[in-house]
Amino acid sequence: MNPAGGGPTTPSAVAGRVLLCLSLAPAAGIAQITLSGTAAASLVVHQVNIGYGVEESSGLRLGLTIRAAGGSLSTSTVGAENRDVGEVGIEASVSPARWLALRASATSRTYSTAIARQRWTIVGVGAEARLDFATSPVRAVLRGGLLPVVTVKGLPEPDVALTAAAGIEYCTGSVIGGLFYGLERYDFPDVGAGRRLEQVSTLTFRFTFHRGARHAGCF
């Protein structure tokens, strides 16, 4: 409930407050402001199943943080059209422990074809664990999260929406390079035309440069 007595708090409002709190929380163990820039390239596979088989499209997406990305997805499925995808987003995180980060994000994504455009708004919350390999500069990264707010033009809200990723990072000084496999899953309710299932998988190479606190990016 809204503590001000204005009725129930909506999920989007709750998610927005979580994102704001994380963005204002100080990073643990960092005594000065740090600056970072990230560039990423992803191979994206988008799958849709509405009960008549799987429609699959794939392509290359390039990105630059604070997050903006775009590319084209081509398909070999009969009757399906190639599409363009573009997205912008923001992410905030706080690290309560050296090996753990809590994250919140908000993303606006658009799929476009020659005849139609579909817009997605996605708010996510989750966690990231970092596992060091002894004294090696290489570490494993595991991510998992829920997407409590997903709105899609022309579709009902999904019953299930989640995300997960796994990868490795190589960290040296202020530079981090990483390779990640990520997955987003959306299960939409049956509204009479069959159940719609969507999945977005990505293989991403990410390169991050940090400047500021010593070894801020390497923990």
Side-chain angles (χ1 to χ4, degrees):
M1 295 290 290
N2 189 330
T9 302
T10 64
S12 57
V14 174
R17 290 172 187 173
V18 171
L19 183 62
L20 178 61
C21 289
L22 285 181
S23 65
L24 295 178
I30 298 178
Q32 66 186 88
I33 295 174
T34 64
L35 301 176
S36 67
T38 300
S42 303
L43 176 63
V44 182
V45 178
H46 182 208
Q47 296 176 314
V48 182
N49 187 344
I50 57 174
Y52 306 103
V54 177
E55 174 189 323
E56 180 178 298
S57 55
S58 61
L60 182 66
R61 183 178 67 187
L62 303 177
L64 183 67
T65 301
I66 293 179
R67 212 171 65 240
S72 297
L73 305 181
S74 58
T75 179
S76 58
T77 305
V78 176
E81 293 189 36
N82 295 340
R83 68 195 72 186
D84 295 326
V85 58
E87 68 177 53
V88 293
I90 187 170
E91 182 177 276
S93 66
V94 60
S95 297
R98 180 177 179 273
W99 57 272
L100 178 67
L102 304 179
R103 297 180 175 273
S105 63
T107 302
S108 177
R109 179 182 299 160
T110 301
Y111 294 102
S112 302
T113 67
I115 60 174
R117 175 177 296 180
Q118 185 183 63
R119 181 175 178 181
W120 293 54
T121 301
I122 306 166
V123 175
V125 292
E128 175 181 289
R130 311 179 188 96
L131 310 174
D132 292 329
F133 293 134
T135 59
S136 169
V138 178
R139 65 186 179 189
V141 180
L142 300 174
R143 290 181 180 177
L146 300 176
L147 306 174
V149 179
V150 179
T151 60
V152 185
K153 182 179 179 181
L155 294 175
E157 294 184 2
D159 294 328
V160 177
L162 51 84
T163 181
I168 57 173
E169 288 183 333
Y170 180 86
C171 182
T172 173
S174 59
V175 179
I176 303 175
L179 181 66
F180 296 88
Y181 176 76
L183 184 70
E184 297 175 19
R185 171 76 182 209
Y186 306 92
D187 292 4
F188 293 89
D190 187 348
V191 291
R195 188 173 178 83
R196 183 185 183 95
L197 308 176
E198 294 210 24
Q199 180 173 295
V200 179
S201 54
T202 58
L203 182 64
T204 301
F205 175 74
R206 191 176 65 192
F207 180 84
T208 302
F209 173 77
H210 289 263
R211 183 178 181 181
R214 183 175 180 265
H215 299 305
C218 299
F219 298 88

